[in-house]
Amino acid sequence: MKWKSVQHWIEYALLRLAVGTLIRIPRRTADRMGAALGRLGYSPLRIRRNVVEANLLKAFPGQAQEWRDDIARRAYEHLGREMLAMLRLSRLDREDIISQTAFTDEGDADALYRAKGKGAVIVVGHFGNWELGAATMAARGYPLDVIAQRQANPYFDRYLVAARERLGVRVIERSRAPKEGLRGLRQGRLVVFGADQNAGRSGVFVPFFGHLASTHRGAALMAIRTGAPVIMALPLRQPDGTYLTRVELIEANPESIHEDNDVAMEILTARFTARLEGAIREHPDQYLWHHRRWKTRPPS
């Protein structure tokens, strides 16, 4: 057996051990453990801390250094808590998920209900607890497809897909998104896109905290092709450890934005990116600052 396969087996065994342990301890204890792990990542381990600090400086140049340092530390604590919450999620059932989640009753929350059976593009970011946000929709009976990148570890990938599907979330590999996502929308399903990662040269450049950021086109293009509404879901952790998902209608009829699909795609992508930025400004400690969001620069 090759060393890489051995490494994958070891990682998978540790994952199963962690899940088996976490599910036996109270949720608040797991939250405290996760926050402590996050603080270790912040200091002394300094995992991706240079990236986090550079991103916060880029996003909030007018804030004091002490403020950015505090947000960075809290973002690490949040990430630690949510990582353990995601591991626990694989063993929860529908009732468990519903008991610790809710939807906001503000704004366009009923847009999700109106889309049921008709299809909608759901846009999420690496904000709050994005895995639980998907699970809470599926637990409430919404037919859900999630566009996801395959994991490097095949055992972990199969485990994650099985855990999502057990909760009612159908997984579509990113490479199959154009075909399978389109089919899902036409079947009246909700198709979830993560839309806040660097998309390289193939992305569209839209403003994000005052700087152009390469953003995946898929969500906007799929909505424009089908006319499906675009809805943003923001699953926020509350002070008591439960989650409140804010659901907001971004565009009811994307195909009518502009006759030129390329222009329409850019407009729609900029709209939901701006809304995500607004939510992050309200809760900057719940965002994943550890990703090099502005890595790809636009052509001069």
Side-chain angles (χ1 to χ4, degrees), residues 232-243:
M232 173 151 279
L234 302 164
L236 286 159
R237 174 182 276 266
Q238 303 301 297
D240 64 356
T242 62
Y243 296 86

Side-chain angles (χ1 to χ4, degrees), residues 1-297:
M1 184 180 289
K2 294 181 179 180
W3 164 244
K4 199 66 177 176
S5 296
V6 173
Q7 181 184 354
H8 286 160
W9 265 109
I10 293 172
E11 290 172 350
Y12 177 64
L14 291 173
L15 169 69
R16 296 302 299 265
L17 177 63
V19 172
T21 301
L22 286 168
I23 204 66
R24 290 175 171 83
I25 63 177
R27 179 163 54 92
R28 292 187 182 277
T29 302
D31 286 347
R32 288 193 294 269
M33 290 173 57
L37 287 173
R39 285 192 294 271
L40 281 176
Y42 176 70
S43 178
L45 298 180
R46 297 182 61 88
I47 298 172
R48 297 187 72 83
R49 184 154 155 190
N50 290 342
V51 174
V52 172
E53 291 176 345
N55 282 343
L56 283 169
L57 178 60
K58 201 175 187 75
F60 300 101
Q63 292 287 357
Q65 183 63 49
E66 292 78 8
W67 184 90
R68 290 195 296 268
D69 289 344
D70 180 60
I71 295 299
R73 177 185 53 78
R74 287 162 51 193
Y76 274 86
E77 291 176 352
H78 175 78
L79 180 59
R81 279 192 298 264
E82 300 318 308
M83 285 176 62
L84 295 197
M86 289 175 189
L87 289 177
R88 287 170 58 86
L89 183 61
S90 65
R91 295 288 185 90
L92 300 182
D93 58 24
R94 176 177 176 272
E95 289 72 24
D96 290 328
I97 293 169
I98 290 176
S99 70
Q100 57 183 279
T101 61
F103 284 108
T104 181
D105 56 0
E106 299 175 357
D108 294 298
D110 64 336
L112 197 63
Y113 177 78
R114 293 197 303 270
K116 193 171 185 177
K118 299 179 181 179
V121 170
I122 308 295
V123 180
V124 300
H126 287 77
F127 181 64
N129 188 317
W130 51 94
E131 286 285 347
L132 193 59
T136 191
M137 285 186 273
R140 286 167 168 81
Y142 292 96
L144 203 71
D145 295 343
V146 171
I147 309 299
Q149 187 72 34
R150 295 192 71 92
Q151 303 296 312
N153 184 325
Y155 307 114
F156 181 73
D157 186 72
R158 285 196 292 269
Y159 178 84
L160 184 59
V161 169
R164 285 167 166 167
E165 291 180 344
R166 185 182 64 81
L167 295 170
V169 178
R170 189 168 72 179
V171 179
I172 297 176
E173 185 184 348
R174 187 176 293 279
S175 63
R176 296 182 5 246
K179 180 178 179 180
E180 296 296 326
L182 197 61
R183 180 182 300 169
L185 285 172
R186 287 172 175 163
Q187 291 173 347
R189 300 179 66 84
L190 309 182
V191 182
V192 182
F193 289 82
D196 66 331
Q197 299 286 277
N198 177 63
R201 292 297 175 191
S202 63
V204 57
F205 288 90
V206 297
F208 186 59
F209 284 92
H211 307 276
L212 291 177
S214 175
T215 306
H216 288 287
R217 304 165 178 260
L221 285 176
M222 203 72 70
I224 291 166
R225 286 180 182 177
T226 62
V230 179
I231 299 169
M232 173 151 279
L234 302 164
L236 286 159
R237 174 182 276 266
Q238 303 301 297
D240 64 356
T242 62
Y243 296 86
L244 180 66
T245 299
R246 286 161 47 177
V247 180
E248 301 177 14
L249 181 66
I250 301 297
E251 182 58 53
N253 188 16
E255 63 184 354
S256 67
I257 292 177
H258 198 282
E259 293 181 359
D260 185 326
N261 276 4
D262 287 338
V263 175
M265 177 269 300
E266 185 173 345
I267 291 172
L268 186 52
T269 303
R271 283 182 183 176
F272 63 65
T273 300
R275 185 61 201 94
L276 176 61
E277 178 186 326
I280 295 169
R281 287 185 180 276
E282 294 175 23
H283 303 276
D285 57 316
Q286 293 202 32
Y287 188 60
L288 183 72
W289 296 103
H290 305 69
H291 171 70
R292 293 180 64 190
R293 183 65 183 92
W294 293 280
K295 178 180 178 180
T296 303
R297 304 313 307 138

